[in-house]
Amino acid sequence: MPSIIDIPARGGRPGRRVELTARSAEITLRAPYRKGKKLPEVTVHAVMVREEAPAAGIEPLEWLLLTDLP
């Protein structure tokens, strides 16, 4: 379900109202190879928030959060 939030003006850009969608997933990252050493995998939770339909000429908002919290 989309959420609507107000983004304040900043850095010469006008404020605007945006419709965002959020998605989440649990991701297991494999450790890089280290000669003579086995590193553990790491499980993280990813949350992606994205503006699906920005106004013409406006770069869409997109945030990605990686956390060890469920």
Side-chain angles (χ1 to χ4, degrees):
M1 171 182 252
S3 296
I4 297 176
I5 64 169
D6 291 317
I7 302 295
R10 182 175 171 193
R13 288 185 251 178
R16 61 193 178 107
R17 180 165 281 198
V18 298
E19 185 175 314
L20 302 172
T21 57
R23 295 172 177 84
S24 64
E26 183 178 276
I27 301 168
T28 300
L29 304 172
R30 292 188 317 175
Y33 173 76
R34 295 287 186 253
K35 187 174 181 176
K37 187 174 186 181
K38 173 92 168 127
L39 298 173
E41 294 180 338
V42 176
T43 299
V44 297
H45 299 271
V47 180
M48 170 69 80
V49 177
R50 184 171 194 214
E51 181 180 12
E52 298 295 337
I58 302 289
E59 185 176 348
L61 295 176
E62 187 171 277
W63 299 305
L64 174 63
L65 170 69
L66 297 177
T67 180
D68 61 349
L69 300 174

